[in-house]
Amino acid sequence: MVQKEIVLQKQMADVIIVGGGPAGISAATILARAGKKVVVIERGNFAGSKNVFGGAIYAKPTAEIFPNFEEEAPLERCNTEHRYALLGEDDGTVISYKNPIHCQKGETNSYTVIRAKWDRWCAEQAKKEGAYIVTETIVREIIIKESKVVGIKTDLEEFYAPITIIADGVNSLLTKQLGLRKETQPKEVALGIKEVITLSKEKIQDRFNLDDKTGVIYTIAGGPMLGMLGLGYIYTNQESISIGVGVSLEELQKRNIKPYEILNELKEHPSIAPLIKDGDLKEYSAHLIPEGGYNSMPKILGNGFMVAGDAAMFVNNVHWEGTNLAMLSGKLAAETAIVALEQNDFSEHTLELYKKKLKHSFILKDLKTYRNVIPTLEHNASAFLGFYPKKINEFMEMFTSVDSIPKRQKYRTFIKNIFKERNLFKIALDMLKLLKLVWGVIVR
Amino acid sequence: MSNIKGVPQNVEDKLFSVKYKPCEKSHLQPTPSDCARCKTKPCTTFCPAKVYVWDEEGNQLLVGYENCLECGACRIGCTYQSIKWEYPEGGCGVTFKNG
Ligand SMILES: Cc1cc2nc3c(=O)[nH]c(=O)nc-3n(C[C@H](O)[C@H](O)[C@H](O)COP(=O)(O)OP(=O)(O)OC[C@H]3O[C@@H](n4cnc5c(N)ncnc54)[C@H](O)[C@@H]3O)c2cc1C
Ligand code: SF4
Ligand code: SF4
């Protein structure tokens, strides 16, 4: 064995990328395709081995980076349906939008994938383009010289390049090390846990009303998360389903609840249990989701570096879109790096182009649009995520049950009960907040 | 392949489905003086892998780092944000096959 401390080899590249997730690999692919010398450093055994998501990847942004992915990549199912389930304690209301067109060529919207296979495939494409991917290696430190980022340090080696793209995900120890952000706070992240449950193809297709290619996404509110800032989800894979919850870490911390107990309860809910009955646990996993959005973004560029993906808090926390923002921000960072390399100027001033590109894209626009949604829900969780969802289910119960009570009397009792539990003033205030929120999303 | 019959309720059994490569030393170092004064010890409940257990008799926090899923929740959610938290050495720790 060579002594670690002695052999600190030095390597040179045009661009160093930290992190082999969607952001890092997309950047690497674009750069390598343009003939640049790129090194990606990934801490896992292979790209994807440390990564967990819901999840679905989105066809259009993916095709911008991997044009042939629909023919070649390991995809599970193309999603033609999205169901929104609003669960009460034991009851539930589900609305669904289904459009078979989303499984037709040129019209696909999203695909379920398994990150261990998907990220790995993406990394292989980057490699084919000429990127150099180093796995099982942790970037411990960013090297700064004369207030410029000039490279990175791993346990064994140093790599030098005029540009470093930091795409180290939600925990981003490196942006913190560089002082680009304060320590993340519990309310700025959600803890996601997930179980992949094996079920036969036939069972999945029967239970979810699918054929052998199509899939369905469930977004689930309420149930064990009534009154809580948290959502559940189900995604269908070829021969398994992914089910999980994402709950604000602050909620978990304050209420002293165990995340897996919430998931256990969700799986027992009468609206969910039949879907996963008799399945076997294939894998349990956990990962954080950045929730802070626009208000929590770190400084995303400076002399010699740019930050992309989750590390920059680029997640649309209302729609749970993350991989698309990661891929696109990686692509924009790569395009900026190409310009900088051509001009041989790696100053903050030149790299400002990255921010300009982000501003023109949906990334910063969407993050800005939704910047007040999570704070509003957080402050009004018991009303918007507890009281009203319960009432909607009670309304459905009243509306659908047949019991020889005159309908008008039922309506009146229902309305009377609402005002008994929450006074008119509070309800008016809630409506005002809701209007303000919608106004903020659509107009401002 | 670790594929257990049915879906277990308790987290210890759930963790049997996860593939790990053991690391020699712990990548999680809580600050004992903080743990002693920490009232609710939230890490013992929110950690998805039940890595932290409070040992009442020994008046100390036990850290089953081998089960860590490397999510980072304890890094952010520790009452005093005083866990020295690192990634386990390259190639060690969890490998998700179905993330
Ligand atoms: C429960 C859950 C459900 C989600 N569902 C969806 C969904 O359905 N659709 C969707 O689009 N998005 C979803 N997201 C969000 C999405 O997963 C992320 O936004 C996306 O993975 C971000 O990509 P990234 O490349 O920025 O970061 P990551 O995917 O986290 O990649 C970062 C990489 O960097 C590596 N790394 C970190 N630090 C270092 C270091 N110091 N040295 C070397 N390597 C390092 C990591 O191992 C990792 O591979 C979900 C997230 C969660 C947690
Ligand atoms: S939350 Fe932090 S301080 Fe409290 S017991 Fe856990 S590690 Fe110790
Ligand atoms: S990183 Fe996550 S799984 Fe590991 S100890 Fe901390 S909370 Fe538990």
Side-chain angles (χ1 to χ4, degrees):
Chain A
M1 259 296 289
V2 234
Q3 281 273 305
K4 277 187 186 177
E5 298 77 42
I6 298 168
V7 191
L8 261 185
Q9 292 182 12
K10 291 189 179 180
Q11 307 268 4
M12 295 294 293
D14 290 329
V15 182
I16 295 165
I17 297 171
V18 188
I25 293 296
S26 301
T29 307
I30 301 289
L31 281 160
R33 202 172 278 157
K36 307 299 172 202
K37 192 174 173 211
V38 198
V39 178
V40 181
I41 302 187
E42 164 58 46
R43 71 185 186 93
N45 292 336
F46 54 86
S49 65
K50 299 286 186 185
N51 301 343
V52 179
F53 85 149
I57 55 111
Y58 302 95
K60 290 195 178 70
T62 307
E64 285 186 32
I65 294 142
F66 308 109
N68 296 330
F69 86 97
E70 290 184 291
E71 288 78 46
E72 294 166 16
L75 304 169
E76 297 288 323
R77 289 172 183 272
C78 57
N79 296 305
T80 51
E81 186 175 355
H82 201 135
R83 295 182 190 160
Y84 295 87
L86 194 56
L87 304 183
E89 266 146 34
D90 291 304
D91 52 357
T93 306
V94 183
I95 54 171
S96 150
Y97 176 72
K98 183 167 185 162
N99 192 341
I101 198 168
H102 286 313
C103 228
Q104 283 168 24
K105 208 172 157 51
E107 301 291 340
T108 48
N109 185 41
S110 75
Y111 289 92
T112 42
V113 302
I114 304 285
R115 292 289 295 271
K117 296 182 196 160
W118 170 254
D119 289 21
R120 200 174 197 171
W121 180 85
C122 294
E124 273 159 23
Q125 308 315 301
K127 225 187 220 166
K128 277 187 200 157
E129 300 282 2
Y132 183 54
I133 297 178
V134 185
T135 54
E136 298 192 21
T137 304
I138 298 176
V139 173
R140 296 284 183 194
E141 220 178 283
I142 300 273
I143 306 172
I144 300 172
K145 282 207 179 114
E146 292 158 8
S147 57
K148 275 185 261 177
V149 167
V150 295
I152 58 98
K153 215 182 239 175
T154 70
D155 288 327
L156 286 174
E157 288 173 297
E158 287 178 2
F159 289 82
Y160 287 88
I163 298 182
T164 300
I165 297 176
I166 302 176
D168 57 347
V170 58
N171 278 303
S172 189
L173 301 182
L174 296 175
T175 54
K176 197 185 152 214
Q177 201 184 85
L178 282 180
L180 306 177
R181 61 173 174 90
K182 296 199 195 83
E183 184 54 277
T184 311
Q185 294 308 307
K187 68 172 177 196
E188 293 173 312
V189 292
L191 173 57
I193 61 164
K194 161 166 136 171
E195 286 177 8
V196 175
I197 295 175
T198 313
L199 278 175
S200 72
K201 235 178 162 150
E202 292 70 36
K203 273 194 181 143
I204 293 175
Q205 282 154 210
D206 284 353
R207 288 180 191 181
F208 291 89
N209 192 18
L210 306 168
D211 61 30
D212 60 350
K213 282 204 189 68
T214 55
V216 55
I217 300 173
Y218 272 78
T219 301
I220 306 165
M225 294 163 292
L226 272 172
M228 216 187 275
L229 197 57
L231 283 178
Y233 58 86
I234 296 177
Y235 292 86
T236 48
N237 305 315
Q238 269 300 318
E239 296 189 48
S240 66
I241 69 122
S242 301
I243 180 167
V245 295
V247 182
S248 153
L249 182 57
E250 189 179 52
E251 294 266 13
L252 292 171
Q253 188 196 41
K254 283 200 174 140
R255 293 175 190 235
N256 250 305
I257 26 182
K258 302 189 167 102
Y260 37 90
E261 281 176 3
I262 299 177
L263 181 54
N264 282 344
E265 259 181 68
L266 178 66
K267 289 189 304 177
E268 278 164 18
H269 193 283
S271 300
I272 305 298
L275 299 172
I276 53 171
K277 190 171 169 278
D278 299 330
D280 294 333
L281 178 61
K282 199 169 184 191
E283 191 177 75
Y284 172 68
S285 56
H287 202 281
L288 290 179
I289 310 161
E291 295 260 273
Y294 195 77
N295 306 324
S296 304
M297 269 165 45
K299 184 168 188 273
I300 54 169
L301 60 93
N303 291 325
F305 74 89
M306 290 172 271
V307 186
D310 277 11
M313 284 265 168
F314 292 158
V315 166
N316 180 334
N317 42 37
V318 176
H319 294 263
W320 270 20
E321 293 172 23
T323 53
N324 51 337
L325 280 71
M327 285 182 195
L328 189 67
S329 61
K331 177 173 175 247
L332 299 179
E335 289 170 0
T336 306
I338 292 170
V339 171
L341 285 162
E342 270 156 20
Q343 298 179 356
N344 199 26
D345 176 353
F346 313 101
S347 64
E348 178 160 350
H349 182 71
T350 304
L351 300 186
E352 280 287 343
L353 177 61
Y354 175 47
K355 188 142 195 195
K356 229 180 255 161
K357 284 173 180 278
L358 286 166
K359 271 189 185 152
H360 279 115
S361 74
F362 74 92
I363 298 182
L364 286 191
K365 285 187 183 147
D366 281 358
L367 289 183
K368 211 166 167 186
T369 301
Y370 285 125
R371 72 189 176 285
N372 292 326
V373 174
I374 296 282
T376 305
L377 288 178
E378 190 188 312
H379 289 133
N380 302 281
S382 71
F384 289 153
L385 302 168
F387 181 75
Y388 292 109
K390 249 194 224 164
K391 286 297 144 195
I392 290 171
N393 280 305
E394 279 171 26
F395 175 83
M396 292 310 291
E397 156 72 10
M398 182 269 298
F399 196 72
T400 54
S401 57
V402 177
D403 48 16
S404 317
I405 302 171
K407 299 289 185 206
R408 178 178 285 173
Q409 190 183 329
K410 285 177 31 166
Y411 289 135
R412 288 187 171 168
T413 318
F414 178 77
I415 293 169
K416 228 169 40 204
N417 282 341
I418 290 188
F419 289 122
K420 234 191 256 165
E421 287 173 47
R422 200 166 174 83
N423 70 42
L424 189 60
F425 178 69
K426 271 195 177 152
I427 292 178
L429 212 62
D430 294 342
M431 292 308 123
L432 205 67
K433 281 179 194 158
L434 198 65
L435 273 177
K436 217 176 123 192
L437 193 67
V438 173
W439 182 261
V441 169
I442 298 173
V443 186
R444 233 180 20 190
Chain B
M1 262 226 12
S2 43
N3 196 341
I4 356 181
K5 263 277 162 257
V7 181
Q9 287 271 344
N10 75 43
V11 68
E12 288 83 355
D13 292 336
K14 288 182 200 284
L15 291 171
F16 276 119
S17 68
V18 184
K19 191 183 166 227
Y20 296 99
K21 187 174 163 211
C23 323
E24 272 171 29
K25 58 176 214 278
S26 175
H27 58 289
L28 308 164
Q29 314 279 352
T31 306
S33 56
D34 282 340
C35 300
R37 68 185 173 120
C38 180
K39 282 204 187 85
T40 52
K41 309 199 194 323
C43 64
T44 60
T45 48
F46 69 61
C47 168
K50 215 176 172 182
V51 164
Y52 301 104
V53 176
W54 181 250
D55 164 20
E56 202 61 63
E57 265 172 37
N59 200 34
Q60 59 174 336
L61 192 68
L62 307 175
V63 185
Y65 74 92
E66 303 89 343
N67 283 334
C68 177
L69 298 168
E70 298 164 35
C71 70
C74 58
R75 188 178 70 79
I76 295 167
C78 162
T79 309
Y80 303 102
Q81 292 204 334
S82 63
I83 300 176
K84 192 165 164 276
W85 191 98
E86 277 171 34
Y87 297 118
E89 272 188 29
C92 288
V94 71
T95 291
F96 293 120
K97 292 177 159 183
N98 294 280

PDB file of all heavy atoms in Angstrom, chain A residues 203-224:
ATOM      1  N   LYS A 203     -50.376  -8.286 -11.375  1.00  0.00           N
ATOM      2  CA  LYS A 203     -51.057  -7.649 -10.239  1.00  0.00           C
ATOM      3  C   LYS A 203     -51.003  -6.134 -10.372  1.00  0.00           C
ATOM      4  O   LYS A 203     -51.997  -5.445 -10.141  1.00  0.00           O
ATOM      5  CB  LYS A 203     -50.405  -8.081  -8.923  1.00  0.00           C
ATOM      6  CG  LYS A 203     -50.981  -9.360  -8.390  1.00  0.00           C
ATOM      7  CD  LYS A 203     -50.593  -9.606  -6.948  1.00  0.00           C
ATOM      8  CE  LYS A 203     -51.188 -10.941  -6.486  1.00  0.00           C
ATOM      9  NZ  LYS A 203     -50.298 -11.669  -5.593  1.00  0.00           N
ATOM     10  N   ILE A 204     -49.843  -5.624 -10.726  1.00  0.00           N
ATOM     11  CA  ILE A 204     -49.712  -4.165 -10.856  1.00  0.00           C
ATOM     12  C   ILE A 204     -50.694  -3.660 -11.912  1.00  0.00           C
ATOM     13  O   ILE A 204     -51.424  -2.695 -11.705  1.00  0.00           O
ATOM     14  CB  ILE A 204     -48.263  -3.776 -11.225  1.00  0.00           C
ATOM     15  CG1 ILE A 204     -47.332  -4.096 -10.055  1.00  0.00           C
ATOM     16  CG2 ILE A 204     -48.167  -2.296 -11.592  1.00  0.00           C
ATOM     17  CD1 ILE A 204     -45.862  -3.879 -10.330  1.00  0.00           C
ATOM     18  N   GLN A 205     -50.718  -4.355 -13.031  1.00  0.00           N
ATOM     19  CA  GLN A 205     -51.566  -3.885 -14.127  1.00  0.00           C
ATOM     20  C   GLN A 205     -53.051  -3.977 -13.787  1.00  0.00           C
ATOM     21  O   GLN A 205     -53.824  -3.089 -14.117  1.00  0.00           O
ATOM     22  CB  GLN A 205     -51.183  -4.625 -15.412  1.00  0.00           C
ATOM     23  CG  GLN A 205     -49.898  -4.024 -15.979  1.00  0.00           C
ATOM     24  CD  GLN A 205     -49.046  -4.936 -16.824  1.00  0.00           C
ATOM     25  OE1 GLN A 205     -47.835  -4.768 -16.851  1.00  0.00           O
ATOM     26  NE2 GLN A 205     -49.655  -5.903 -17.504  1.00  0.00           N
ATOM     27  N   ASP A 206     -53.446  -5.058 -13.093  1.00  0.00           N
ATOM     28  CA  ASP A 206     -54.850  -5.200 -12.686  1.00  0.00           C
ATOM     29  C   ASP A 206     -55.233  -4.141 -11.651  1.00  0.00           C
ATOM     30  O   ASP A 206     -56.232  -3.461 -11.779  1.00  0.00           O
ATOM     31  CB  ASP A 206     -55.089  -6.575 -12.065  1.00  0.00           C
ATOM     32  CG  ASP A 206     -55.148  -7.644 -13.136  1.00  0.00           C
ATOM     33  OD1 ASP A 206     -55.132  -7.257 -14.327  1.00  0.00           O
ATOM     34  OD2 ASP A 206     -55.186  -8.832 -12.781  1.00  0.00           O
ATOM     35  N   ARG A 207     -54.406  -4.024 -10.630  1.00  0.00           N
ATOM     36  CA  ARG A 207     -54.772  -3.152  -9.514  1.00  0.00           C
ATOM     37  C   ARG A 207     -54.773  -1.679  -9.897  1.00  0.00           C
ATOM     38  O   ARG A 207     -55.535  -0.898  -9.360  1.00  0.00           O
ATOM     39  CB  ARG A 207     -53.795  -3.354  -8.355  1.00  0.00           C
ATOM     40  CG  ARG A 207     -53.989  -4.677  -7.669  1.00  0.00           C
ATOM     41  CD  ARG A 207     -53.012  -4.827  -6.533  1.00  0.00           C
ATOM     42  NE  ARG A 207     -53.029  -6.201  -6.036  1.00  0.00           N
ATOM     43  CZ  ARG A 207     -52.283  -6.619  -5.031  1.00  0.00           C
ATOM     44  NH1 ARG A 207     -51.463  -5.771  -4.429  1.00  0.00           N
ATOM     45  NH2 ARG A 207     -52.344  -7.869  -4.633  1.00  0.00           N
ATOM     46  N   PHE A 208     -53.876  -1.318 -10.795  1.00  0.00           N
ATOM     47  CA  PHE A 208     -53.756   0.096 -11.128  1.00  0.00           C
ATOM     48  C   PHE A 208     -54.385   0.429 -12.485  1.00  0.00           C
ATOM     49  O   PHE A 208     -54.288   1.553 -12.951  1.00  0.00           O
ATOM     50  CB  PHE A 208     -52.286   0.530 -11.118  1.00  0.00           C
ATOM     51  CG  PHE A 208     -51.669   0.537  -9.740  1.00  0.00           C
ATOM     52  CD1 PHE A 208     -51.066  -0.595  -9.215  1.00  0.00           C
ATOM     53  CD2 PHE A 208     -51.712   1.693  -8.950  1.00  0.00           C
ATOM     54  CE1 PHE A 208     -50.498  -0.587  -7.941  1.00  0.00           C
ATOM     55  CE2 PHE A 208     -51.152   1.703  -7.685  1.00  0.00           C
ATOM     56  CZ  PHE A 208     -50.540   0.569  -7.172  1.00  0.00           C
ATOM     57  N   ASN A 209     -54.988  -0.585 -13.103  1.00  0.00           N
ATOM     58  CA  ASN A 209     -55.673  -0.361 -14.376  1.00  0.00           C
ATOM     59  C   ASN A 209     -54.697   0.111 -15.467  1.00  0.00           C
ATOM     60  O   ASN A 209     -54.876   1.161 -16.079  1.00  0.00           O
ATOM     61  CB  ASN A 209     -56.796   0.669 -14.154  1.00  0.00           C
ATOM     62  CG  ASN A 209     -57.742   0.747 -15.322  1.00  0.00           C
ATOM     63  OD1 ASN A 209     -57.784  -0.161 -16.159  1.00  0.00           O
ATOM     64  ND2 ASN A 209     -58.484   1.839 -15.415  1.00  0.00           N
ATOM     65  N   LEU A 210     -53.639  -0.690 -15.674  1.00  0.00           N
ATOM     66  CA  LEU A 210     -52.583  -0.306 -16.622  1.00  0.00           C
ATOM     67  C   LEU A 210     -52.363  -1.408 -17.643  1.00  0.00           C
ATOM     68  O   LEU A 210     -52.801  -2.538 -17.439  1.00  0.00           O
ATOM     69  CB  LEU A 210     -51.267  -0.088 -15.862  1.00  0.00           C
ATOM     70  CG  LEU A 210     -51.272   0.888 -14.694  1.00  0.00           C
ATOM     71  CD1 LEU A 210     -49.978   0.761 -13.896  1.00  0.00           C
ATOM     72  CD2 LEU A 210     -51.449   2.316 -15.182  1.00  0.00           C
ATOM     73  N   ASP A 211     -51.672  -1.079 -18.737  1.00  0.00           N
ATOM     74  CA  ASP A 211     -51.169  -2.159 -19.580  1.00  0.00           C
ATOM     75  C   ASP A 211     -49.682  -2.337 -19.304  1.00  0.00           C
ATOM     76  O   ASP A 211     -49.169  -1.769 -18.340  1.00  0.00           O
ATOM     77  CB  ASP A 211     -51.472  -1.900 -21.070  1.00  0.00           C
ATOM     78  CG  ASP A 211     -50.809  -0.630 -21.585  1.00  0.00           C
ATOM     79  OD1 ASP A 211     -49.737  -0.287 -21.069  1.00  0.00           O
ATOM     80  OD2 ASP A 211     -51.369   0.014 -22.486  1.00  0.00           O
ATOM     81  N   ASP A 212     -48.975  -3.104 -20.147  1.00  0.00           N
ATOM     82  CA  ASP A 212     -47.611  -3.459 -19.729  1.00  0.00           C
ATOM     83  C   ASP A 212     -46.582  -2.332 -19.901  1.00  0.00           C
ATOM     84  O   ASP A 212     -45.434  -2.481 -19.487  1.00  0.00           O
ATOM     85  CB  ASP A 212     -47.142  -4.754 -20.397  1.00  0.00           C
ATOM     86  CG  ASP A 212     -47.127  -4.624 -21.907  1.00  0.00           C
ATOM     87  OD1 ASP A 212     -47.650  -3.609 -22.414  1.00  0.00           O
ATOM     88  OD2 ASP A 212     -46.606  -5.531 -22.571  1.00  0.00           O
ATOM     89  N   LYS A 213     -46.996  -1.231 -20.512  1.00  0.00           N
ATOM     90  CA  LYS A 213     -46.056  -0.124 -20.665  1.00  0.00           C
ATOM     91  C   LYS A 213     -46.400   1.066 -19.765  1.00  0.00           C
ATOM     92  O   LYS A 213     -45.536   1.821 -19.368  1.00  0.00           O
ATOM     93  CB  LYS A 213     -46.083   0.374 -22.111  1.00  0.00           C
ATOM     94  CG  LYS A 213     -45.318  -0.494 -23.080  1.00  0.00           C
ATOM     95  CD  LYS A 213     -44.917   0.356 -24.286  1.00  0.00           C
ATOM     96  CE  LYS A 213     -44.344  -0.484 -25.397  1.00  0.00           C
ATOM     97  NZ  LYS A 213     -45.350  -1.356 -26.026  1.00  0.00           N
ATOM     98  N   THR A 214     -47.700   1.227 -19.495  1.00  0.00           N
ATOM     99  CA  THR A 214     -48.131   2.475 -18.846  1.00  0.00           C
ATOM    100  C   THR A 214     -48.024   2.413 -17.327  1.00  0.00           C
ATOM    101  O   THR A 214     -48.023   1.347 -16.727  1.00  0.00           O
ATOM    102  CB  THR A 214     -49.577   2.816 -19.238  1.00  0.00           C
ATOM    103  OG1 THR A 214     -50.404   1.701 -18.918  1.00  0.00           O
ATOM    104  CG2 THR A 214     -49.680   3.135 -20.712  1.00  0.00           C
ATOM    105  N   GLY A 215     -47.943   3.597 -16.733  1.00  0.00           N
ATOM    106  CA  GLY A 215     -47.823   3.698 -15.287  1.00  0.00           C
ATOM    107  C   GLY A 215     -48.693   4.816 -14.735  1.00  0.00           C
ATOM    108  O   GLY A 215     -49.219   5.640 -15.489  1.00  0.00           O
ATOM    109  N   VAL A 216     -48.826   4.819 -13.418  1.00  0.00           N
ATOM    110  CA  VAL A 216     -49.635   5.840 -12.760  1.00  0.00           C
ATOM    111  C   VAL A 216     -48.846   6.429 -11.582  1.00  0.00           C
ATOM    112  O   VAL A 216     -48.047   5.731 -10.958  1.00  0.00           O
ATOM    113  CB  VAL A 216     -50.994   5.260 -12.291  1.00  0.00           C
ATOM    114  CG1 VAL A 216     -50.814   4.054 -11.394  1.00  0.00           C
ATOM    115  CG2 VAL A 216     -51.836   6.309 -11.559  1.00  0.00           C
ATOM    116  N   ILE A 217     -49.063   7.707 -11.362  1.00  0.00           N
ATOM    117  CA  ILE A 217     -48.426   8.385 -10.224  1.00  0.00           C
ATOM    118  C   ILE A 217     -49.521   8.760  -9.233  1.00  0.00           C
ATOM    119  O   ILE A 217     -50.573   9.259  -9.635  1.00  0.00           O
ATOM    120  CB  ILE A 217     -47.730   9.695 -10.680  1.00  0.00           C
ATOM    121  CG1 ILE A 217     -46.653   9.394 -11.723  1.00  0.00           C
ATOM    122  CG2 ILE A 217     -47.143  10.447  -9.486  1.00  0.00           C
ATOM    123  CD1 ILE A 217     -46.033  10.651 -12.348  1.00  0.00           C
ATOM    124  N   TYR A 218     -49.280   8.500  -7.964  1.00  0.00           N
ATOM    125  CA  TYR A 218     -50.179   8.975  -6.907  1.00  0.00           C
ATOM    126  C   TYR A 218     -49.481  10.065  -6.114  1.00  0.00           C
ATOM    127  O   TYR A 218     -48.348   9.869  -5.661  1.00  0.00           O
ATOM    128  CB  TYR A 218     -50.468   7.863  -5.898  1.00  0.00           C
ATOM    129  CG  TYR A 218     -51.624   6.965  -6.215  1.00  0.00           C
ATOM    130  CD1 TYR A 218     -51.488   5.963  -7.161  1.00  0.00           C
ATOM    131  CD2 TYR A 218     -52.836   7.094  -5.535  1.00  0.00           C
ATOM    132  CE1 TYR A 218     -52.544   5.105  -7.424  1.00  0.00           C
ATOM    133  CE2 TYR A 218     -53.894   6.234  -5.797  1.00  0.00           C
ATOM    134  CZ  TYR A 218     -53.737   5.241  -6.742  1.00  0.00           C
ATOM    135  OH  TYR A 218     -54.775   4.401  -7.004  1.00  0.00           O
ATOM    136  N   THR A 219     -50.169  11.185  -5.933  1.00  0.00           N
ATOM    137  CA  THR A 219     -49.729  12.168  -4.942  1.00  0.00           C
ATOM    138  C   THR A 219     -50.761  12.106  -3.824  1.00  0.00           C
ATOM    139  O   THR A 219     -51.958  12.210  -4.082  1.00  0.00           O
ATOM    140  CB  THR A 219     -49.688  13.577  -5.550  1.00  0.00           C
ATOM    141  OG1 THR A 219     -48.794  13.552  -6.665  1.00  0.00           O
ATOM    142  CG2 THR A 219     -49.193  14.601  -4.539  1.00  0.00           C
ATOM    143  N   ILE A 220     -50.288  11.908  -2.619  1.00  0.00           N
ATOM    144  CA  ILE A 220     -51.216  11.619  -1.517  1.00  0.00           C
ATOM    145  C   ILE A 220     -51.073  12.656  -0.409  1.00  0.00           C
ATOM    146  O   ILE A 220     -49.975  12.897   0.099  1.00  0.00           O
ATOM    147  CB  ILE A 220     -50.925  10.215  -0.922  1.00  0.00           C
ATOM    148  CG1 ILE A 220     -50.938   9.160  -2.046  1.00  0.00           C
ATOM    149  CG2 ILE A 220     -51.931   9.867   0.171  1.00  0.00           C
ATOM    150  CD1 ILE A 220     -50.318   7.831  -1.654  1.00  0.00           C
ATOM    151  N   ALA A 221     -52.194  13.278  -0.041  1.00  0.00           N
ATOM    152  CA  ALA A 221     -52.170  14.192   1.110  1.00  0.00           C
ATOM    153  C   ALA A 221     -53.088  13.625   2.179  1.00  0.00           C
ATOM    154  O   ALA A 221     -54.002  12.858   1.890  1.00  0.00           O
ATOM    155  CB  ALA A 221     -52.645  15.573   0.675  1.00  0.00           C
ATOM    156  N   GLY A 222     -52.864  14.028   3.413  1.00  0.00           N
ATOM    157  CA  GLY A 222     -53.751  13.621   4.508  1.00  0.00           C
ATOM    158  C   GLY A 222     -53.424  12.241   5.039  1.00  0.00           C
ATOM    159  O   GLY A 222     -52.269  11.818   5.047  1.00  0.00           O
ATOM    160  N   GLY A 223     -54.449  11.501   5.444  1.00  0.00           N
ATOM    161  CA  GLY A 223     -54.224  10.201   6.076  1.00  0.00           C
ATOM    162  C   GLY A 223     -53.383  10.397   7.319  1.00  0.00           C
ATOM    163  O   GLY A 223     -53.678  11.264   8.145  1.00  0.00           O
ATOM    164  N   PRO A 224     -52.291   9.632   7.462  1.00  0.00           N
ATOM    165  CA  PRO A 224     -51.454   9.805   8.659  1.00  0.00           C
ATOM    166  C   PRO A 224     -50.757  11.167   8.697  1.00  0.00           C
ATOM    167  O   PRO A 224     -50.138  11.510   9.697  1.00  0.00           O
ATOM    168  CB  PRO A 224     -50.430   8.676   8.524  1.00  0.00           C
ATOM    169  CG  PRO A 224     -50.404   8.339   7.081  1.00  0.00           C
ATOM    170  CD  PRO A 224     -51.785   8.592   6.567  1.00  0.00           C
TER     171      PRO A 224
END
